[in-house]
Amino acid sequence: MPTSAAAAAVRDLGEEVWAWRAAQRPRSSDDIPRMDRPPGWVPDWSRDAVAAMRRRRDELAARWQTLDVGSQPVAVQVDHRLIGSVLARVRWELELLCSWQRDPSFYVDQTLGVVFDALLQPPPFDATRADDVVRLLASVPATLEEARTNLDPVAAFTRVALTNLAAVEAQLPAAMTALSPLLPASARDPLAAATARARAALVSYREWLVALLPELGGRPAVGRDAFVWFLRHVALQPATPEEMIAAGRREWHRAVALEQVLQARHRAVPAPPLLPTVAAQVAAQRDAETAVRAFSEEHDLLSQPDDLRRYRFAPLPDHLAPLAWLGVLDDLTSVARPHDDAVRYVPEPSEDIGFFDLANARDPRTGIVHEGVHAQQLALGYTHPDPLRRCYYDSGANEGIAFYNEELLLQAGLFDDAPHSQLTIARFLRLRALRVEVDVRLATGDLDVAAAAALLAETVPLDEATAAEEAAFFAATPGQALTYQIGKLQILRLVSDASRLRGGAFSLRRLHDELWRNGNVPLSLLRWELLGLRDEVDALDPDAAQR
């Protein structure tokens, strides 16, 4: 069937927007939205660059608004809305969230964070990769000078940045010293020189923030109006903040009740020991990943093609360990590497490691059923026949699918042989449910960062370091933490309605295959495309978009 002029215009504009976004998008410590940057890319947050971003966004948005797709197939209309969401996100970042003006950690992400991302792909480090690392390190001083020009920082965000930068003068050299032998010999002296300059700039930036802190105030919250705008126009999420809090509380109560039932059922079963070494954990995870895939096939839950890439654990390397606080320790690859195995770096098993690492050190399946799902879902999305579905990302779908999968496999019996892992999944349910309230109340200003960390530490419970890390991240990225639970609830509704509408033709496996393949697309749009149900889309008030 020939492509219509309108459909071609949507495709062409989308590809242009995606290419621009790859260079323009600010770095985030979230593991999902990592994109392939253009060759030779370095961050640029000068005032001229920000002004150019705004002009380009306005130009693209004007072209987007002129496209008339009302008579086009639903798939084309969905692609059109994806483009609108991307352009709305740029407005959100530059004009409403304004991390580039309010949050000193934003510039830690645009300096050390982009270096961390460049290190995530496993070795070898050829000349091109070595040049990338050196170039990004060399850009650190200029980016931090831009920070001093742009920032009117909020006190709470500044304290988070200072905590994260407390040992940077030791961490960065330690990481680069460990990296140096892995690089071509010709890159080692440039690496050392760029490291020294970046270290000095980061220390100077920290000292500048220390001097500013006594005079700082400000509120981290974006406020309810801006938050609702984000939900409607960026996340394409129709629920109100109040509806989300109510749903999260109901799910929290359900998770607590489930945990109590499991504790009573398994009260005489001791917790299993940690795997003895990281090598043993890597080997156990390899076997477990194969078993989980077989389980999904045998129980008719999800297709597992032979050519679908694997998800592997690997020991945390010395060149990443000092910078581990900068992001999630996995390489989920990208559109350019869809068939590479995804990798999760894990530390040596110990009772002192964080909440999620500790769960993986007892039973690697607890990570496979979430992060491993990201690896599979993204690999499928990266090869989607529609190119506009490959680069778009949406935490509501991405995280909702992974969180939904955790309880799906618990209910299907994957953890019947592991009582403690059943309890771990119940605690995951409790954490993700609580995140909804924390996220919304941080965004609307009903909760501050310290109170959010205390709530997470006491109520999940989480170790204090993980709780502080989560609260700081959620405050800086409104709308991300709620996506696990709210996305999962949207999926449960999708499954229920699909079973009703498809009747005898309904197949849970087929629906999951459709969902995983299109899992970069907001669930309100997938509900429309897969089931023909427009209720969530109509609730978004699309006519208000881009005003």
Side-chain angles (χ1 to χ4, degrees):
M1 180 177 177
T3 301
S4 70
V10 168
R11 180 199 61 213
D12 293 346
L13 178 61
E15 290 180 352
E16 190 175 344
V17 168
W18 269 222
W20 173 64
R21 182 65 171 162
Q24 181 274 334
R25 181 187 62 81
R27 190 268 179 183
S28 163
S29 58
D30 192 1
D31 57 335
I32 298 299
R34 291 174 183 152
M35 299 175 69
D36 294 307
R37 303 291 193 176
W41 175 87
V42 292
D44 184 356
W45 287 90
S46 64
R47 289 188 174 181
D48 287 347
V50 173
M53 291 176 198
R54 286 187 168 126
R55 288 193 301 271
R56 181 64 167 147
R57 183 265 173 198
D58 290 345
E59 175 211 340
L60 293 167
R63 290 166 55 192
W64 174 77
Q65 287 177 317
T66 66
L67 294 177
D68 183 2
V69 298
S71 63
Q72 295 300 305
V74 172
V76 176
Q77 296 185 59
V78 166
D79 284 350
H80 181 255
R81 287 172 181 267
L82 295 182
I83 298 169
S85 168
V86 172
L87 296 171
R89 187 179 289 275
V90 178
R91 179 181 174 189
W92 163 254
E93 291 166 350
L94 295 182
E95 298 166 16
L96 295 173
L97 182 60
C98 297
S99 297
W100 65 283
Q101 294 173 305
R102 303 171 65 239
D103 185 357
S105 292
F106 177 86
Y107 293 97
V108 179
D109 275 334
Q110 312 318 310
T111 52
L112 278 187
V114 297
V115 173
F116 172 85
D117 290 349
L119 300 178
L120 282 173
Q121 182 181 345
F125 287 87
D126 60 13
T128 299
R129 288 191 69 193
D131 288 347
D132 287 343
V133 174
V134 172
R135 184 182 67 255
L136 293 171
L137 274 173
S139 74
V140 168
T143 302
L144 294 179
E145 282 302 311
E146 292 160 3
R148 297 185 193 224
T149 300
N150 294 339
L151 280 171
D152 180 12
V154 172
F157 289 152
T158 304
R159 284 191 286 270
V160 171
L162 288 172
T163 298
N164 287 336
L165 290 172
V168 71
E169 60 264 62
Q171 291 167 337
L172 179 60
M176 296 304 104
T177 297
L179 176 67
S180 184
L182 304 179
L183 304 186
S186 60
R188 293 170 190 168
D189 287 344
L191 177 74
T195 299
R197 289 191 291 269
R199 175 187 179 277
L202 287 159
V203 171
S204 176
Y205 180 60
R206 183 184 66 200
E207 292 171 350
W208 177 70
L209 293 174
V210 168
L212 285 181
L213 184 59
E215 307 299 322
L216 299 181
R219 297 174 71 244
V222 294
R224 189 182 189 281
D225 289 347
F227 186 54
V228 170
W229 190 93
F230 168 83
L231 294 174
R232 297 292 178 273
H233 303 309
V234 181
L236 304 181
Q237 170 55 250
T240 67
E242 294 74 22
E243 289 169 341
M244 289 180 178
I245 287 177
R249 286 176 177 169
R250 286 193 296 271
E251 286 297 299
W252 186 82
H253 291 308
R254 188 177 73 85
V256 171
L258 172 62
E259 185 178 354
Q260 294 304 313
V261 170
L262 292 172
Q263 284 182 336
R265 178 183 173 189
H266 303 307
R267 61 189 178 277
V269 180
L274 298 179
L275 288 158
T277 64
V278 71
Q281 187 178 354
V282 168
Q285 188 272 344
R286 195 177 189 91
D287 292 341
E289 198 251 9
T290 299
V292 171
R293 289 171 68 126
F295 184 92
S296 291
E297 283 276 8
E298 290 163 6
H299 289 74
D300 209 23
L301 298 176
L302 183 69
S303 298
Q304 300 286 330
D306 291 339
D307 62 351
L308 183 61
R309 67 148 176 233
R310 316 302 299 208
Y311 171 67
R312 303 298 193 198
F313 282 5
L316 178 60
D318 291 342
H319 64 271
L320 272 175
L323 304 178
W325 54 274
L326 284 158
V328 181
L329 285 165
D330 42 35
D331 172 35
L332 297 178
T333 78
S334 68
V335 172
R337 298 189 291 125
H339 303 296
D340 285 6
D341 286 345
V343 174
R344 169 79 177 195
Y345 299 106
V346 293
E348 196 70 33
S350 162
E351 294 290 349
D352 297 327
I353 57 181
F355 181 68
F356 295 105
D357 283 327
L358 191 58
N360 281 329
R362 285 201 165 92
D363 185 347
R365 293 176 299 179
T366 60
I368 292 167
V369 299
H370 187 100
E371 298 295 340
V373 169
H374 285 329
Q376 290 194 344
Q377 182 266 305
L378 288 171
L380 293 166
Y382 291 152
T383 58
H384 198 287
D386 180 348
L388 302 192
R389 308 283 176 101
R390 297 174 194 162
C391 296
Y392 183 89
Y393 68 91
D394 172 65
S395 289
N398 297 134
E399 298 294 359
I401 288 170
F403 184 37
Y404 164 78
N405 187 72
E406 292 176 10
E407 191 169 7
L408 170 73
L409 291 183
L410 174 68
Q411 292 173 337
L414 177 68
F415 296 103
D416 284 356
D417 63 340
H420 190 273
S421 296
Q422 296 173 36
L423 283 163
T424 296
I425 297 297
R427 292 185 181 116
F428 288 176
L429 302 182
R430 182 148 51 122
L431 169 61
R432 272 64 179 259
L434 184 62
R435 281 175 173 173
V436 177
E437 182 165 350
V438 170
D439 189 348
V440 173
R441 292 179 64 195
L442 280 168
T444 58
D446 293 334
L447 202 65
D448 64 25
V449 177
L455 183 62
L456 288 164
E458 294 166 8
T459 310
V460 174
L462 284 178
D463 60 275
E464 290 187 4
T466 302
E469 177 185 329
E470 291 221 339
F473 177 64
F474 299 158
T477 56
Q480 197 278 337
L482 61 83
T483 59
Y484 301 78
Q485 183 65 73
I486 301 303
K488 176 183 173 181
L489 290 173
Q490 287 181 285
I491 292 170
L492 291 171
R493 187 181 183 208
L494 182 76
V495 172
S496 174
D497 286 337
S499 68
R500 173 176 56 85
L501 292 171
R502 295 179 177 179
F506 174 75
S507 161
L508 184 61
R509 178 187 186 127
R510 177 187 161 207
L511 182 66
H512 287 161
D513 288 349
E514 293 172 322
L515 181 60
W516 262 243
R517 169 68 72 181
N518 290 283
N520 295 346
V521 178
L523 291 157
S524 59
L525 299 185
L526 285 183
R527 180 175 175 80
W528 179 25
E529 185 170 38
L530 297 181
L531 303 183
L533 299 175
R534 287 186 52 99
D535 51 335
E536 291 190 2
V537 170
D538 290 341
L540 296 172
D541 186 19
D543 291 337
Q546 306 299 312
R547 286 181 185 169

